[in-house]
Amino acid sequence: MTRRRRKSPNRRRGKRSTAPRHGWALARLWFWYGLGVVTLIALLWVLYLNHVVQEKFEGKKWSVPARVYARPLELYQGLALTAELFEQELLAIGYRPVERVSGPGQYARQRSGGTSIYQVYSRGFEFWDQDESARRFELSLASGRVSTLRDASGDPLPLMRLEPEEIGGIFPAHGEDRLLVRLEDVPPRLGETLLAVEDRNFLDHHGISFSGIARAAWANLRAGGVVQGGSTLTQQLVKNFYLTHERSFSRKIQEAIMAVLLDWHYDKAEILETYINEVYLGQSGAQGVHGFALGAQHYFRQPLSELDTSQTALLIALVKGASYYNPWRHPERALERRDLVLKVMAREGLIDAATLRQAREAPLGIVPSGDYNLQSYPAFIELVKRQLSRDYREEDLQSDGLRIFTSLSPMVQRRAERVMSERVHRLEQDYGIEGLQGATVVTSVGAGEVLAMVGDRNARSGGFNRALDARRPIGSLVKPFVYLTALEQPEQYGPATLISDEPVTVEAKNGQRWQPRNASLESHGEVPLYLGLVNSYNQATARLGMELGLESVYQTLRRAGFDGHIPQVPSILLGAVEMTPTEVAGIYHTLAAEGVYTPLRAIREVLTAEGEPLRRYPLSVEQRFSTEGSFQLQYLLQLVLREGTGKQVYQQFPDDLALAGKTGTTNDQRDSWFAGFSGQHLAVVWLGRDNNKETPLSGSTGALQVWADLMGELPTQGAALAPPGDVSFDWLDQSTGLLSAERCEGAVWLPLREGQTPQTSAPCHLDRSESPRWWQRLWR
């Protein structure tokens, strides 16, 4: 019998003791495996963050919007300019009045009798044609003109240009705006104060500061809440430059890693310069204000280099929270925070006690709320965008930092805005109406440059741009083009040619009848051609237009510059054609420029961010009508203002200022128009309601009032008086069109082309009036 071997107790215990060993080994294996995976993932994540940090920091850091500038104020001897207008221009570009001029951006004024003498220190500017350095000059104003212009040594200056006002930008979709500045151009006090307030150990730490974190944690623990942050300036840059503002532990970890990486790859100067250009300092409408350079413009309308101690402290105070310390909304908070920054400046030895005391006593010094906006003139900026879109892609305009020099005159623009707002408000009160809107376009005569554009009675509000997009019937504004069509046929028509003002009926192909009537419902029989335009007779104009042929009138409008839709109906002779105020300005400019067509333009030059020229927008001209016919029409439009529908406002202008224009009123007075010009300025005004409802305003009681207010404030010169070519003046009898004489009743002084002088004279009855008529005073 076989005996079964008994297992040794020791052997059994030995087998049991190996099981835990295998378990621990497996756990250790999984631990190291997991740790390796986590390490690998963390390494890959860090490598990815490293790539992100380098790619953006070394590439194109920002999408910089195109900057848009107004035309510079060009000073020369003889320029029409008052002391009030000159100081308004200086203040608009941030110049400061001082007792004694000592640096750029300052001016001082002295009075000597009726003369104002200015000492001015310009800032200098990189213009499209040359760089002009900062310089001192002296300007004297007397009798509304520049009487002397000298440099600092007393030598005469032929021309002096002040830097142009920045009027807006073409912004990227994310709505950020900034002015880039190099670190060497930043005032040292600003940089030193920024580090003293935001990151005292910036030059010593490697992206994160453990002492700063501990100090903040202790302060928060003592306060029982978050009262202090431990982020370094580098971490703040990472948060703003790379990350969102989400409050989470994972984001803080990511922020710390990226801050270390940023500090590892780049020197402190690069990081500080980027921070100075990136930091958020406020909001201007839809655009965020980023960087200290733009912040200086936004709050003080001054370059960074000209800020005083108090202003510098306020900008740095806003870093803590631009919304919370908004100096317009919360001036007390802003003042308290500014004074705290000033204390830090004194504690660090950046300013002395006297400067501290003076800075703390100073007001915030910000521009009035709403007085400065990154988009100052939205209607004009929209015109600039549309003209640029022909040559540039929108993304280039939004990101390449182009510098766009325009034709806008801030002096004219500000007056056009104020006049529109004040007069529309007064008209609503006087006539008991609501919802009246308006638009104005002002151009220079000859160059065709748009000097001002108002698209809303509240011009800075943006929104619907009526100057560009409100297409309305133009009414009697079309009549000068009917008469120009006639005057372009000098063998048949002259200013004194008799035309009929009897009722007229035109039957259309569909059987409908067009029967225009005069506004007075009266007929005047045979009248001289000029009188039909001066008194805006509908019947005379309609009969003349039908006699000329509708196609001829169409072609005149086309030649004048209108390329929109013209209805093929007789009623276009009295204004049944729709145009925008800008389109009206385009065709009336051809009349003002003596028959020369010039496309209206808002852009002069485009430069790259580095100052290299990209494209010029030269003057383009084409003589489309005879100078003789154009001069005759201009003279008749002067008569419209002197004796016709515009005479009620002409008394506010001097007799020797030759102005010309035409009123326009549409059916049921839904639209009130006026288009008029001097020798320098053309202005078109439209008033009406957006819902196209009736108003109690005609062209003369509405739009003409706005036009007269505006032209009365502009320093301008009269239209041309010297007749061209074969045109000469003679006395004609206004009732018969025959020759007359200076002292005869009903005699009128009219410009005639060769062959238009009548061969017979009308009977002369002496005019016993002792006061000479306006044209007699004008030509003496």
Side-chain angles (χ1 to χ4, degrees), residues 57 186 215 220 238:
F57 206 84
V186 175
R215 184 171 58 252
N220 294 337
V238 166

Side-chain angles (χ1 to χ4, degrees), residues 98-289:
V98 295
E99 291 294 326
R100 184 170 183 175
V101 170
S102 60
Q106 299 177 354
Y107 74 92
R109 178 184 180 182
Q110 294 178 325
R111 291 179 177 86
S112 177
T115 301
S116 294
I117 304 171
Y118 289 89
Q119 302 291 332
V120 185
Y121 204 136
S122 73
R123 293 191 178 108
F125 192 78
E126 184 181 356
F127 289 96
W128 58 89
D129 52 352
Q130 67 181 44
D131 291 354
E132 295 190 7
S133 57
R135 62 190 304 186
R136 292 184 61 161
F137 68 92
E138 180 183 286
L139 175 85
S140 297
L141 296 173
S143 301
R145 294 193 176 275
V146 176
S147 55
T148 60
L149 183 64
R150 300 188 181 95
D151 61 19
S153 60
D155 295 328
L157 274 174
L159 179 71
M160 182 67 207
R161 287 189 296 189
L162 293 177
E163 64 273 21
E165 179 182 345
E166 186 177 331
I167 59 173
I170 301 175
F171 300 98
H174 54 66
E176 291 185 4
D177 191 19
R178 55 178 50 79
L179 285 173
L180 299 183
V181 61
R182 296 174 301 181
L183 189 60
E184 56 263 34
D185 297 326
V186 175
R189 181 177 292 173
L190 185 144
E192 292 168 353
T193 304
L194 175 65
L195 295 183
V197 173
E198 293 295 323
D199 192 351
R200 295 177 62 186
N201 299 318
F202 175 73
L203 298 176
D204 299 320
H205 63 64
H206 298 288
I208 59 175
S209 172
F210 294 105
S211 61
I213 294 172
R215 184 171 58 252
W218 175 244
N220 294 337
L221 183 63
R222 292 177 60 189
V226 179
V227 296
Q228 184 175 330
S231 296
T232 64
L233 187 146
T234 312
Q235 286 176 273
Q236 294 179 39
L237 175 61
V238 166
K239 180 178 65 176
N240 295 329
F241 200 53
Y242 296 98
L243 305 175
T244 68
H245 289 269
E246 172 197 1
R247 291 179 177 272
S248 67
F249 181 74
S250 60
R251 192 198 63 76
K252 289 296 292 183
I253 293 295
Q254 185 175 349
E255 174 190 298
I257 294 172
M258 295 179 77
V260 172
L261 291 170
L262 193 65
D263 193 86
W264 180 34
H265 285 294
Y266 306 102
D267 61 41
K268 296 290 186 179
E270 290 179 278
I271 295 172
L272 181 59
E273 180 180 273
T274 304
Y275 182 91
I276 285 171
N277 286 302
E278 171 62 25
V279 63
Y280 174 74
L281 292 176
Q283 199 74 19
S284 177
Q287 279 72 48
V289 178

Side-chain angles (χ1 to χ4, degrees), residues 429-449:
Q429 288 185 323
D430 292 345
Y431 289 90
I433 55 177
E434 296 180 352
L436 191 62
Q437 267 292 353
T440 304
V441 179
V442 185
T443 77
S444 61
V445 172
E449 292 187 325

Side-chain angles (χ1 to χ4, degrees), residues 70 86 105 147 198 207 214 297 364 395 458-459 487 505 546 590 731 747 752:
F86 182 52
S147 55
E198 293 295 323
Q297 290 288 345
L364 289 174
E395 51 265 38
N458 300 312
L487 294 172
T505 300
M546 296 303 297
T590 303
W731 294 98
L752 305 175

Side-chain angles (χ1 to χ4, degrees), residues 414-702:
R414 285 190 287 270
R415 273 153 183 73
E417 291 178 354
R418 181 176 53 77
V419 162
M420 174 64 74
S421 176
E422 291 178 356
R423 177 59 74 167
V424 167
H425 179 69
R426 197 183 318 166
L427 288 171
E428 286 186 329
Q429 288 185 323
D430 292 345
Y431 289 90
I433 55 177
E434 296 180 352
L436 191 62
Q437 267 292 353
T440 304
V441 179
V442 185
T443 77
S444 61
V445 172
E449 292 187 325
V450 178
L451 305 179
M453 178 172 284
V454 178
D456 190 291
R457 61 183 292 179
N458 300 312
R460 304 294 177 95
S461 64
F464 182 53
N465 189 344
R466 292 161 189 82
L468 288 175
D469 298 322
R471 194 172 296 279
R472 307 293 286 256
I474 65 172
S476 295
L477 290 188
V478 79
K479 290 178 180 176
F481 299 92
V482 177
Y483 288 85
L484 178 60
T485 306
L487 294 172
E488 284 290 279
Q489 303 175 36
E491 299 82 5
Q492 294 179 265
Y493 300 97
T497 302
L498 294 179
I499 59 176
S500 174
D501 186 49
E502 293 296 334
V504 59
T505 300
V506 179
E507 189 168 332
K509 294 179 180 179
N510 60 6
Q512 290 186 342
R513 293 184 174 186
W514 181 55
Q515 297 177 304
R517 294 291 181 263
N518 290 331
S520 65
L521 301 180
E522 296 179 359
S523 300
H524 304 88
E526 296 282 300
V527 297
L529 180 142
Y530 89 89
L531 209 56
L533 178 59
V534 170
N535 292 334
S536 200
Y537 291 151
N538 290 335
Q539 294 171 175
T541 305
R543 281 184 171 273
L544 177 63
M546 296 303 297
E547 188 176 303
L548 293 166
L550 292 180
E551 184 59 32
S552 297
V553 178
Y554 296 157
Q555 291 306 315
T556 298
L557 287 170
R558 296 292 188 210
R559 289 164 63 195
F562 180 61
D563 58 5
H565 173 65
I566 302 176
Q568 304 295 302
V569 292
S571 57
I572 67 110
L573 298 171
L574 300 182
V577 54
E578 295 182 346
M579 297 187 191
T580 66
T582 303
E583 289 172 333
V584 172
I587 61 175
Y588 264 79
H589 180 266
T590 303
L591 303 184
E594 301 175 353
V596 176
Y597 168 70
T598 301
L600 299 187
R601 59 197 183 113
I603 305 166
R604 289 180 162 186
E605 303 281 345
V606 178
L607 306 183
T608 66
E610 293 75 31
E612 296 296 322
L614 278 181
R615 183 178 175 86
R616 300 196 67 184
Y617 290 79
L619 179 65
S620 173
V621 298
E622 181 183 351
Q623 187 79 48
R624 293 192 174 179
F625 299 98
S626 68
T627 55
E628 294 83 2
S630 299
F631 178 83
Q632 287 180 311
L633 182 69
Q634 275 196 19
Y635 185 81
L636 299 192
L637 291 175
Q638 290 182 46
L639 292 180
V640 170
L641 275 177
R642 300 271 189 178
E643 300 187 346
T645 55
K647 65 181 179 181
Q648 60 171 305
V649 303
Y650 211 94
Q651 59 187 2
Q652 70 188 65
F653 296 100
D655 275 337
D656 59 354
L657 180 62
L659 301 174
K662 184 70 185 75
T663 55
T665 310
T666 61
N667 291 340
D668 301 317
Q669 297 183 326
R670 287 182 169 88
D671 302 280
S672 171
W673 288 92
F674 191 83
F677 52 89
S678 66
Q680 281 185 292
H681 300 102
L682 162 73
V684 174
V685 178
W686 168 84
L687 297 180
R689 287 172 164 171
D690 289 338
N691 58 13
N692 202 32
K693 288 187 176 181
E694 300 175 12
T695 76
L697 303 175
S698 65
S700 58
T701 59

